[in-house]
Amino acid sequence: MNEFDLISRYFHKASQPAVADLGIGDDAALLTPREGFQQAISVDMLVSGRHFFADVDPARLGYKSLAVNLSDMAAMGATPRWFTLALALPQADPHWLDAFSRGMFELAQEHGVELVGGDTTRGPLTISIQIAGELEQGTALTRCAALAGDDVWVSGALGAAAAAVAVRVQGLALPAAALQACQDRLEMPMPRVELGRALRGIAGACLDISDGLAGDLKHICERSGLSADLVASQVPVHPALAQLDAETRLHLALTGGDDYELCFCAPVTQRAALAALAAELALPLTRVGSMLAARSGALVRVLNDQGQEMALDSGGFDHFIAAA
């Protein structure tokens, strides 16, 4: 099976005229943004052994490869529209390709996003997706829009995906049911696209938690010229970690990657609106801290209930140091 046969068999879908003027089949796709809208464009790369384990279910890998990009659209408040796929494969395995493409397209259909092009080659298993979305001019959620006095919020619960990695890499022990829940969170994260769109006009700064809450919140601090305090007891830890000791639970929730929940900042006056939104979406939204004026020292501090700073031994996942 050559490159063009592979693309035709597993990745060629008829373009929807409302989404793409011209999709797969030419040297480039033709796309027409709607008048009065901005495009949001992002790219993510997943490398075997770095971002996922080599023995992962290919259907779940196809799902996650697109999910992490959808999460970037969610963090901007954008509606995802198109994506491209660059895929390096050690070999063209029909069973693997069938499962991978099925998992990817099922999620694409759920969010109405279309594959419009890409490339394939032989090499170490590497998946790179570029995604484009759109949103009304001037409505994007950006990392530089936090204000001193804003509340810091997170969606969902944190730490489960990192726990699944810790089981494989560090020998962390979890009961079977808890391990399965953590594995599901690692391999099938839920991109919060609907939440991201709903946050426009309510939140200012926003990002998705891919490398750990404490580390990712630093990016908002840096871009907004502020600092932040998190309250340890307010951080929502995934219930699958209930049997671990408190220190380990907090460490996983604050510094573990692959949660793909949203962290966002909003004025205190929006608390009631966010409570109503959480109920509408049936998604927990938890206030975990505050944005503060810039200070010397740590950009992000973690405090106990007495307001004392707690030690934090890691600032988040580093793609050039940590291994999956």
Side-chain angles (χ1 to χ4, degrees):
M1 181 166 48
N2 64 34
E3 175 186 3
F4 302 104
D5 291 337
L6 188 156
I7 293 171
S8 177
R9 183 178 301 181
Y10 297 106
F11 299 108
H12 193 181
K13 302 285 186 182
S15 296
Q16 300 297 319
V19 177
D21 301 319
L22 183 66
I24 293 174
D26 274 76
D27 290 298
L30 297 177
L31 313 168
T32 302
R34 290 187 288 171
E35 185 176 354
F37 283 70
Q38 288 180 295
Q39 282 192 306
I41 299 174
S42 179
V43 63
D44 269 301
M45 182 183 298
L46 299 180
V47 179
S48 181
R50 174 65 54 174
H51 301 97
F52 59 90
F53 296 106
D55 60 356
V56 66
D57 179 339
R60 289 188 161 210
L61 181 58
Y63 173 102
K64 183 172 181 177
S65 299
L66 181 57
V68 302
N69 286 269
L70 289 169
S71 185
D72 286 330
M73 294 295 99
M76 301 296 291
T79 298
R81 299 274 284 167
W82 319 286
F83 70 103
T84 61
L85 169 68
L87 185 61
L89 296 166
Q91 59 184 358
D93 179 344
H95 298 292
W96 190 96
L97 284 162
D98 181 68
F100 176 86
S101 60
R102 184 175 66 253
M104 184 184 70
F105 280 123
E106 285 177 359
L107 185 62
Q109 183 176 11
E110 180 181 335
H111 288 276
V113 59
E114 182 176 340
L115 178 64
V116 296
D119 192 24
T120 61
T121 190
R122 184 180 295 274
L125 182 55
T126 304
I127 304 147
S128 182
I129 287 180
Q130 184 178 53
I131 194 166
E134 62 181 11
L135 67 169
E136 288 87 348
Q137 189 90 22
T139 65
L141 303 170
T142 63
R143 298 180 181 186
C144 64
L147 299 173
D150 279 356
D151 292 325
V152 179
W153 296 77
V154 296
S155 64
L158 309 179
V165 174
V167 169
R168 292 283 295 265
V169 175
Q170 300 168 358
L172 181 72
L174 285 174
L179 175 56
Q180 185 60 59
C182 292
Q183 197 73 23
D184 291 344
R185 289 287 291 162
L186 174 65
E187 296 175 353
M188 301 191 72
M190 296 290 292
R192 303 301 187 184
V193 175
E194 187 177 5
L195 171 62
R197 289 196 297 259
L199 286 175
R200 290 182 298 169
I202 296 177
C206 183
L207 49 64
D208 68 333
I209 304 171
S210 58
D211 299 329
L213 172 60
D216 283 330
L217 183 55
K218 288 180 182 179
H219 301 314
I220 289 180
C221 291
E222 290 165 347
R223 294 281 289 154
S224 296
L226 300 172
S227 61
D229 282 350
L230 297 172
V231 180
S233 62
Q234 295 177 2
V235 174
V237 179
H238 196 283
L241 309 187
Q243 296 191 33
L244 299 176
D245 64 85
E247 183 178 354
T248 300
R249 291 199 305 270
L250 182 62
H251 173 79
L252 291 167
L254 286 173
T255 69
D258 282 291
D259 283 312
Y260 295 102
E261 295 290 350
L262 296 187
C263 171
F264 56 94
C265 304
V268 172
T269 54
Q270 295 291 355
R271 289 179 182 177
L274 286 165
L277 180 58
E280 177 186 342
L281 298 180
L283 173 65
L285 302 177
T286 306
R287 184 161 45 92
V288 294
S290 301
M291 300 301 296
L292 306 167
R295 63 181 171 225
S296 58
L299 287 177
V300 176
R301 301 187 307 178
V302 181
L303 308 179
N304 62 21
D305 288 342
Q306 289 71 48
Q308 300 167 323
E309 185 173 0
M310 302 172 65
L312 188 65
D313 62 3
S314 172
F317 179 84
D318 189 314
H319 294 272
F320 286 91
I321 298 175

